[in-house]
Amino acid sequence: MGKKVVCFVLAAVFFVIGIAFAVVYRCLLKETPILSDELLADYYVGYREKEVKFADAAELLNDSDAVFIVEATGERRRTKDEILSCFTVRQALKPYENIRAGEEIWIYEPTTVFFLDTSLNNEELYERSVPHHVIINKHISLDSVHIPMRSGRQYLVCLKLFRKPEGYRYSEREKRTFLLTDPNSSQFRTDQEIQNYVPQGETKITFQNLAQYDCMMNEQDFSKYVFLYEEMMKFLK
């Protein structure tokens, strides 16, 4: 009898936590503006050179809940740690549930956006070589080799469903919300040749300056990235 009571109490606690998480999460999304390419154009992009590890192609595809060809709609919203972007599915290479071509999904991109803080002087902060971890106004921090996916472009993406705590009640949109399976290995442009920007130690490059590029890494890592993409396409044919 005692064990049943404990189990009931724990289930109730998890249920309440799930409801609270859902309410806070949805309120945060409603309050954030749409981060269009135009709005982010003059935001500075921060990238710290570090060792990049890529996943194995076969393991990546096996670990993914879904593999889609998607087209970015340009609708992005900031969440606590990442941006949440909307895409139209163009092809389901590894289908998930009943999601079909022409339908929309949402993907968390490993990028953090900091909005304008009028109490700070952006130019002065950069002149002082502010450390990477400091929150800077009108700043985009890349947490992977990927530059945020741009409106109208098509990409191959490997995805895992963004699972919430037990007891959470998913909205219809949240049932179509995903994470990249691996931050560095799950996003590849498909509608034209992938363009890589090789960092040169700049401190003031903007999102608009990177308009033609899809990723940012050194040449050696980019060769590994292209090889991974080619290997994945062999498995998917």
Side-chain angles (χ1 to χ4, degrees), residues 25 29 32-37 39-40 43 72 74-87 106-115 139-144 146-150 162 173 177-180 187 207:
Y25 172 79
L29 282 184
T32 58
I34 294 177
L35 304 176
S36 65
D37 293 345
L39 185 149
L40 296 177
Y43 276 49
E75 182 177 352
R76 310 183 188 93
R77 294 188 182 275
R78 187 182 75 160
T79 64
K80 181 180 178 182
D81 298 311
E82 298 177 309
I83 57 175
L84 182 59
S85 305
C86 182
F87 298 85
W106 291 79
I107 302 173
Y108 281 98
E109 298 190 65
T111 301
T112 306
V113 175
F114 301 110
F115 291 151
H139 179 75
I140 299 171
S141 178
L142 304 182
D143 299 319
S144 75
H146 302 304
I147 296 170
M149 292 179 270
R150 289 181 179 265
F162 183 49
R173 189 175 78 176
T177 298
F178 298 87
L179 299 168
L180 295 176
Q187 170 188 322
F207 189 61

Side-chain angles (χ1 to χ4, degrees), residues 7-147:
C7 290
F8 177 79
V9 171
L10 287 175
V13 169
F14 283 122
F15 178 78
V16 171
I17 291 174
I19 294 297
F21 182 88
V23 171
V24 172
Y25 172 79
R26 289 166 189 162
C27 286
L28 286 173
L29 282 184
K30 288 179 181 178
E31 293 173 358
T32 58
I34 294 177
L35 304 176
S36 65
D37 293 345
E38 293 74 21
L39 185 149
L40 296 177
D42 64 343
Y43 276 49
Y44 291 117
V45 177
Y47 173 80
R48 182 168 52 187
E49 187 82 19
K50 55 186 176 181
E51 181 182 2
V52 178
K53 294 183 178 180
F54 297 106
D56 173 78
E59 292 180 1
L60 181 64
L61 294 171
N62 184 63
D63 291 343
S64 298
D65 292 324
V67 180
F68 295 136
I69 301 291
V70 299
E71 182 174 326
T73 67
E75 182 177 352
R76 310 183 188 93
R77 294 188 182 275
R78 187 182 75 160
T79 64
K80 181 180 178 182
D81 298 311
E82 298 177 309
I83 57 175
L84 182 59
S85 305
C86 182
F87 298 85
T88 301
V89 175
R90 294 304 180 201
Q91 187 177 355
L93 302 177
K94 182 178 181 180
Y96 179 79
E97 298 292 341
N98 60 344
I99 297 176
R100 298 183 177 87
E103 298 181 347
E104 290 185 346
I105 63 170
W106 291 79
I107 302 173
Y108 281 98
E109 298 190 65
T111 301
T112 306
V113 175
F114 301 110
F115 291 151
L116 177 64
D117 182 347
T118 55
S119 67
L120 301 175
N121 183 311
N122 206 47
E123 294 294 329
E124 289 181 3
L125 285 171
Y126 270 91
E127 290 299 329
R128 293 185 223 152
S129 299
V130 175
H132 178 84
H133 66 276
V134 175
I135 295 179
I136 301 172
N137 57 321
K138 298 187 75 174
H139 179 75
I140 299 171
S141 178
L142 304 182
D143 299 319
S144 75
V145 299
H146 302 304
I147 296 170

